[in-house]
Amino acid sequence: MILEVEDLAINARGLPAVDGVNLGVRPGEILGLVGESGSGKSLTALSIMGMLPAGVRASRGSIRFDGRDLLKLSQSELREVRGKDIGMVFQDPLAYLNPRLTVGDQLAEALTVHGASRGHAAGRAAELLDLVGVPNAAARVKDYPHQFSGGQRQRVLIAMAMANEPRVLLADEPTTALDVTVQAGILTLLKRLRDETGTAVVIITHDMGIVEQVCDTAAVMYGGHIVEHGPARTLLTRPRHPYTAGLLRSVPRLASEPVRRLPVIPGAPPDLAERPPGCPFSPRCDRADDRCGERPPLDDGFACWHPLSETVLAVREPYTPPEPRASEPVIRAENVTVTYGRRKRAVRAVKGVSLTAAPGQTVGIIGESGSGKSTLARALLGLLPAAGTITVAGRSWAGASKAEQLAMRRAVQMVFQDPYLSLNPRLSIRDTLAEPYEVHGLCPAEEVPERLGVLMDQVGLPRPFLDRYPYQLSGGQRQRIGVARSLAVEPQIIVADEPVSALDVSVQAQILNLLADLRDEVGVGIVFIAHDLGLVRHFCDETLVMYQGEVVERGPSHRLFEAPEHPYTKTLIAAA
Amino acid sequence: MTAIPADRKWIRAGRSTKGLAGVILITLLVLAAVAGPLLLGVSPYEQGADALAGPSGAHLLGTDEVGRDLLARTLYGIRSDLLICLVAVPLAALLGTGLGLLGGLTRWGGEVIQRVFDVLLGFHGVILGMAIALVISPGFVAVVTAIVLITVPSFGRQARAALLQQLSREYVLAATTVGASKARVLGRHVLPNVTDSVTALFAVAMANAVKIEGGLSLIGLGIQPPEPSLGTMISAGSRYIQVAPQYALVPVLLLAALVLGLTLLSDAINRERLRS
Amino acid sequence: MAFWLRKALSALLTLWISSIAVFGLMRLTPGDPAAAVAGPDATAAQVAAIRAELMLDQPLLTQYGHWIGGLLGGDPGKSFQYNRPIIDLLGESVASTVQLAIAGIIMIPVVGLLTGLALVSRRLGKAADAFATAALSLPVYVSAVILVFLFAVRLKVLPATGEMSFLEAPDLSVQFLILPGIALALPAGAVLGRLLATEIRRVRQEEFVLTARAKGVPEKRISRRHVLPSSLGPFVVEFGIGIGELLGGAVIAEELFARNGLGKLMLDAVQNRDYPMAQLLLMLAITIAVIAQLVTEVALSRLDPRIRLEAAA
Amino acid sequence: RSATQVAATGKDITLAFSAAPDPMKLLRRTVDSPVFSSLVFDRLVDLDKKTLQPIPLLAKEWEWSKDRTSLVLKLREGVQFHNGRALTPDDVIFTLTKAQDEKSGAQVAPMLKRIKNMEAGQNEVTLTLSGPTSNLFDALMFVPIVDSTTYGSGKVIGTGPYVWGAFTAGTQLQLTRNEKYWGGSPEIEKITIKAIKSPQAQLSALQSGQVQMVGGIPARDIKTTSAAGKFTVSVTRPSYQQTYLGVDVRTKPFDDPKVRQALQYAVDRKRIADQVYGGYAEVSSLPWPANTPGVTQDQVNRYSYDPDKARQLIKEAGAEGAEVTLWAGQTPIFSSVLDIVQYDLEKVGFKVVPKLMDATEFQTLVVNAKLPGLNIANIGLVSVSPLTGISTANPARPGENTSRLDDKKYVELQQAAYGATTDVARDKANHDLSEYLLEQSFHITLAQAHEVVLWDPSIKSADTTFLGYLNLAAAKRGA
Ligand SMILES: Nc1ncnc2c1ncn2[C@@H]1O[C@H](COP(=O)(O)OP(=O)(O)OP(=O)(O)O)[C@@H](O)[C@H]1O
Ligand SMILES: Nc1ncnc2c1ncn2[C@@H]1O[C@H](COP(=O)(O)OP(=O)(O)OP(=O)(O)O)[C@@H](O)[C@H]1O
Ligand SMILES: [Mg+2]
Ligand SMILES: [Mg+2]
């Protein structure tokens, strides 16, 4: 073990953010630290770097790095270790690079601060850039971060972390901000570096897929605890902890067969304040009994009183895609083109896209960031001017009278990507949900409260929440409100722009199921935008693949994913 | 990330030590201005033979150059300064926000209004004030007008920025998708959040208003005698700084206190805005 | 490149509108320049004669055209008051104001930087905050009175008022500049300081600071190399705007310190309805403000490569 | 070096004056005249401050014809202009002719117009008058003799003790002594005149030793420096600052002399003298000094402060609670005067609407006699003599004046005064004019303010002319 964390506890503003974590990684080994947002992954990593934010401190345990306890070192001693023996790569590649210094300078700095001469450092900077596979490195060192692509920036960060050939490399969600295709590149890079230098790598992620692809060992974190750890393979194939299992089930993976409803982990991730003394998962665990809540389970590879005996991953209701009901398309879009900006700075975000959406059916749109998905979605709702024809129930947005537009809006609704931005912070949930009724005058005022109640039931939220404000709700709950708002006018089609990307893995499934139910029971048609292939495959009857504003391939989901034709689709699926 | 409704912000602002200090200062001054004269019961206009007399039982702060009671005048002075603030700043806020929004909503309008703001900013406060005071003869109206014109651009720009930011917010789109009319979207979703960021400017604007009033008085274009105002008293009093220091210094301190109070308050409010 | 072109054009537009505003403003102010020139107990006949002499009996459009024409031709015309070409009158005033401005331009950022850094430092923070708030709250005309009273009348270490040509006696003229300089620099500097402080605090939260720390960069170097440069943006902008306002600010400062600069000239001109003089100086003030704006933008783009390169693109 | 120590050296001095010298209107008495006019120029005569008799200057002696309609002025020999030209009778005639023309702006033009003809003789000038002119010397002592060859060219060339030197309009003027001065070369070599508007700035300049004299500032401001004791205050006889309350006799209720007289009683002149002029002013019901021959004490104190009397008169005239507009120009002085007058008038039951506007705007209204109601302003030269006063100052001029009082009797009185060439006659004329003003009360004197100059004690025997112009021919600078 080059790095060994023992019984680490981290106290964040009086709350136990991390509680009794044990980790170890050997030279040349890649450890995957998996867990949902807020489970304590980043803090653990930061504590290893001795870089915990203000108000947060390690309250217990030890972090051994070749014999020394990092927690006992002084700041200056730690500084010696940082970047020299232990390197770190952060999540958002742009934010973590200084926009005002050239990439070369920033790389060189990593060396100079540890005693390298300027000249040598400058030369090495180019080498490093080349090492991480940035084309014609020698020239690019003079460029500024914003001149690099997302993937390249991430490579720069990695190069920076590797500058002094550290013995341990910590990577906190190194690929989360990147597109699938780019992700793959970064992961192989990490692997390669490990092979070449023999560094121990700790990859922090919330994506089981990554564990599967690159990790030798893995540890699953939940509510500040390590609930399960061991060799990646076994952990993925035969999870013993219910949470691990739940996590694996609730995430549809390309490999697995689609199902009608995803198995979900009920409830929401734990709140630090009210975490039971015992197993943090017990409140959401179907196997839990009193003991679980009271006494922390012993840790022997998995921390659970009732470990799963054998894998239950297979247990999924078999799924026969519902007969595509013969229904008239409500949305008809024919070679839609959207252009932002004027003249010189014009950006054609969507180029000649056609699609139709009918009640009871799901059209999936996938594509990397910037490929025009959201733009298309907004065009479909007549939110921005588009060339080509977009008709809703036979009427075109262009030249529709106010009254007509109102009618059209009753037919199509939208669910937005970020539940934090899509609710007006100043309006109570009641006001937000009441708005559709007010503007459409759907029912007499006195009936509205009852309707709202029904809506809340539909999206599975307690009625009292009507009087809360957005900031009093969790992400998942907000997104349910977003769905409820779109349901209010009883639309025939809902356009959902990455409705779950901003949500925790275990919550995603809940929202997806909600949409699935609406489709199958109410018969709403859904245009489902995502960049997670698994979701789309699992969820959609038909799938469109967008690339740089164009639809490069389309077809029934099962066909498209089994036998992709367009090269881009191929790489996409290969990468995932 | 999670935005807090404005009202809470103000309350929170009040809670921080700085904010509290500001609130207290202002409250005291307002009390002095409102209750002071009543308690004192001396007319600020009553002239007398003994000019520039030092503090005495009859005149706690002494008298000015024509034998009027300084304390009374100072208290009334605060009153008129507060009045100026309360009239001018909201006016400026309304006008500025209005123009700012117009600028944000209409393309050509935006251009023109930006230019107008640039011109207004081009004139230095003092000069603009002077010109205005001359055009409409000096006095309350002139001072208010000057302050309004000087303050409008800052409100305008703030409002415009806030508006543009709001328009790109997803909940604004969401409102449109559920079929809310443009007017409704603006009135219900955009404006409230805009006002929110505009109100944050209030305290600063008021502080400046007080300063401008004083600056105009300095060149004799402020509030006109016999009406007292802190500014006029400072400019008149600084003439007697050596024989009757209290004449200028007391208003100076009060004016400073007023500005200080407002500055502290605005600091606190802004801090709250950043936090949320 | 088009970026700068647009900027320049809109600046010109601004100036043109300003010229109309300035011209109109002067004509709007009641009071007859001729009467001012004639002085007290002049007869109506005398005043009328002067009016004609000053071409004030001509239609406004002609007057405006004449003025603008002159300006563009580099001839701002004759001063009503002094009945001399304005150019001849500006000489010394310009020098005086330029000196004052330079004093300000030197002192303001110094005060600003020091205050800003003090504000974010652990030890001085509180004191600096008190100072900044006080400096902000004291209007120039107040601090000036106090400064003069202390340093000139009581301590007699610095000249109260007046000035001296820098060329004749640099050492002395500097002494005359200290008090006005401070009076100008205190509030302006305090504003800058606070701005800088808030910005530094913000930048310290930025992720790239974490990266630097993770590289093992010492805190000192992080502040110097990563935080400060990234924090200077608003500082520069505000300072630029500040420079733009210096001429305006000079009005007060020169009145208080009895300096015969452009500010005083402008004040007199407006008060005596010396149209050509007032108009020229007002335009000058505005032009400076506008140019300051432009230059500021350039400086900003130097500080932030993103702006620069977008502009270039 | 410290700028606080560097005052002028023993041989030169620096003066601070509220108004900048302006060489454009040399023949006119403007605010800036006192600081340089008598240093650069000579007059034909000056008047004795006590006896009011002419003192020879460029005119070394003179002789009246019997009927007092022609005057022969013998000029001093060997007088040279600063450009080396010798003074000739033609220069005198040139100057007087210029001064007769309204365009020159010379206040005494109306009096000089009475000169029908001028003849140059052997170093003498003969003036022929349209009629007896008792106050001709008032006019002559007023007019500075200019160099006929350069006048109007912007050059400033006189025969005075000091030579006009480096000059920046609106800010500064330097004078160097005229070694060839006929009265002997002055002691002080160099005089620098700085224009400093703000009294505070002036005083602190004086206190910190940057200047040795400050002038043209409100007298009351002198009291405001604790250091007043350290400096010599030289007070000239009341002159350019006769502050008055002008009454437009065509606006009700002031068409009634009773109401106008009520005003006289209503205003508290003592308080104005003390509070506005810091005591440097004379309290009098008349525009001209109390020592004016023919004027009686009773006249001087005719209207002492008496609100009750005022109210009573107003009652009689049935003008209680009348609303009156009170105009004034925006200066610290006038706004204080306005303060007090407004207060006093309200005390006797008027409703006062104060209209304090910026100086130029006010000036415009004065010139066009557009001041319905009351207005506060000041004039000069009334202090010289009643006749000169009413003949030169718009507000009180017989015929057309800002009070819009048009009365034959007044004009007759003026003519009589011109003819009053004997002392007895002159005294009577002065008395009658005073009586007329008091009775008509359209031009109400508020204060005869002194012009006050503050000297550094090191300056000795600095003097002022009858008009209150600086006269430093004999000034010295000691330790
Ligand atoms: N600076 C801080 N102050 C207070 N609490 C904090 C701070 N940083 C993190 N926390 C809390 O500590 C817990 C763990 O945070 P951490 O960032 O380690 O989670 P994470 O697993 O990295 O989540 P994510 O996947 O979103 O990065 C969270 O509940 C968070 O609210
Ligand atoms: N308001 C805008 N002005 C100019 N260009 C824009 C604007 N919005 C988006 N774009 C550009 O249009 C293209 C498509 O953007 P869009 O948001 O539709 O992509 P996306 O597929 O939704 O990406 P993501 O998966 O990150 O949401 C991008 O290149 C983006 O830079
Ligand atoms: Mg994290
Ligand atoms: Mg998108």
Side-chain angles (χ1 to χ4, degrees), chain B:
Chain B
M1 173 67 249
T2 49
I4 307 161
D7 36 36
R8 292 160 186 279
K9 268 177 219 155
W10 289 85
I11 299 163
R12 292 254 221 101
R15 291 221 201 89
S16 70
T17 41
K18 265 189 146 197
L20 196 61
V23 174
I24 293 176
L25 259 178
I26 295 167
T27 327
L28 285 179
L29 287 167
V30 172
L31 277 180
V34 177
L38 306 177
L39 299 177
L40 190 63
V42 178
S43 156
Y45 308 115
E46 185 62 35
Q47 303 185 358
D50 54 349
L52 295 173
S56 69
H59 305 289
L60 295 173
L61 275 187
T63 58
D64 72 358
E65 66 270 35
V66 293
R68 291 175 293 215
D69 182 72
L70 277 176
L71 182 54
R73 287 186 75 70
T74 317
L75 294 175
Y76 275 84
I78 306 176
R79 185 179 282 192
S80 56
D81 274 76
L82 289 174
L83 195 63
I84 290 173
C85 286
L86 292 180
V87 177
V89 175
L91 261 176
L94 279 180
L95 205 62
T97 315
L99 289 174
L101 296 181
L102 203 62
L105 292 174
T106 64
R107 285 196 89 267
W108 66 268
E111 258 310 302
V112 174
I113 290 168
Q114 281 310 79
R115 291 292 138 267
V116 173
F117 285 168
D118 288 354
V119 174
L120 283 178
L121 289 176
F123 284 93
H124 185 276
V126 183
I127 301 166
L128 190 56
M130 181 166 69
I132 289 159
L134 289 177
V135 173
I136 42 179
S137 57
F140 184 82
V141 183
V143 174
V144 168
T145 321
I147 293 174
V148 169
L149 283 187
I150 295 168
T151 327
V152 152
S154 46
F155 277 107
R157 300 199 151 174
Q158 181 88 359
R160 187 159 188 272
L163 173 75
L164 296 181
Q165 181 206 24
Q166 283 297 321
L167 285 179
S168 65
R169 282 292 167 80
E170 284 186 338
Y171 57 76
V172 174
L173 286 174
T176 322
T177 50
V178 300
S181 63
K182 188 151 188 167
R184 185 188 171 95
V185 170
L186 287 180
R188 194 119 186 279
H189 299 277
V190 175
L191 288 195
N193 293 299
V194 171
T195 9
D196 194 8
S197 65
V198 167
T199 41
L201 271 182
F202 253 71
V204 193
M206 290 199 169
N208 289 335
V210 177
K211 289 186 185 174
I212 297 170
E213 186 273 323
L216 283 177
S217 313
L218 186 80
I219 44 180
L221 297 173
I223 296 299
Q224 295 301 304
E227 286 313 315
S229 85
L230 292 183
T232 38
M233 293 188 68
I234 292 171
S235 58
S238 55
R239 198 181 298 132
Y240 311 102
I241 191 90
Q242 301 189 29
V243 284
Q246 82 280 9
Y247 188 167
L249 290 185
V250 174
V252 162
L253 294 181
L254 287 172
L255 185 123
L258 186 52
V259 180
L260 180 67
L262 291 166
T263 317
L264 286 172
L265 191 57
S266 71
D267 287 357
I269 294 167
N270 284 325
R271 195 154 295 127
E272 274 313 316
R273 284 188 64 238
L274 293 184
R275 196 173 291 161
S276 55

Side-chain angles (χ1 to χ4, degrees), chain A residues 340 349 368-375 417 498:
Chain A
Y340 290 109
E368 63 190 20
S369 175
S371 57
K373 304 186 295 296
S374 300
T375 309
Q417 172 165 2
E498 312 209 13

Side-chain angles (χ1 to χ4, degrees), chain A residues 41-42 91 172-173 204:
Chain A
K41 309 184 296 292
S42 295
Q91 175 168 344
D172 188 350
E173 317 225 1
I204 295 176

Side-chain angles (χ1 to χ4, degrees), chain D residues 17-196:
Chain D
F17 200 73
S18 59
D22 174 4
M24 285 305 137
K25 295 186 225 63
L26 294 173
L27 296 183
R28 176 176 182 74
R29 203 283 192 204
T30 59
V31 274
D32 59 320
S33 312
V35 73
F36 77 93
S37 186
S38 289
L39 297 180
V40 179
F41 297 98
D42 287 318
R43 275 105 176 109
L44 289 164
V45 298
D46 195 8
L47 294 186
D48 182 295
K49 287 178 190 148
K50 302 214 174 29
T51 65
L52 308 185
Q53 292 310 312
I55 308 168
L57 288 177
L58 289 182
K60 102 172 166 272
E61 57 206 41
W62 48 84
E63 192 178 333
W64 283 106
S65 66
K66 288 271 162 305
D67 60 356
R68 278 288 193 143
T69 56
S70 99
L71 175 70
V72 179
L73 294 161
K74 293 224 173 329
L75 301 185
R76 199 175 292 279
E77 298 85 358
V79 179
Q80 271 191 7
F81 281 104
H82 298 148
N83 57 2
R85 250 186 78 248
L87 170 78
T88 68
D90 298 331
D91 292 301
V92 176
I93 295 176
F94 174 85
T95 307
L96 292 179
T97 327
K98 277 275 173 230
Q100 283 179 314
D101 178 356
E102 293 283 350
K103 282 211 201 59
S104 73
Q107 284 89 341
V108 293
M111 287 146 64
L112 291 174
K113 284 224 179 69
R114 298 174 67 87
I115 303 177
K116 261 210 330 277
N117 180 24
M118 306 185 219
E119 271 173 24
Q122 179 45 252
N123 208 37
E124 67 176 33
V125 177
T126 313
L127 309 178
T128 323
L129 306 171
S130 53
T133 308
S134 61
N135 64 341
L136 184 62
F137 279 106
D138 291 358
L140 296 183
M141 82 71 203
F142 180 91
V143 183
I145 301 302
V146 298
D147 167 25
S148 55
T149 61
T150 57
Y151 176 78
S153 70
K155 289 219 189 67
V156 186
I157 290 174
T159 59
Y162 285 92
V163 181
W164 181 281
F167 168 66
T168 30
T171 47
Q172 180 158 323
L173 167 62
Q174 283 199 349
L175 303 176
T176 48
R177 74 172 163 200
N178 171 7
E179 259 96 10
K180 302 203 213 59
Y181 184 53
W182 58 267
S185 168
E187 279 273 324
I188 308 287
E189 278 174 1
K190 193 154 129 283
I191 300 179
T192 308
I193 298 168
K194 282 196 154 99
I196 303 183

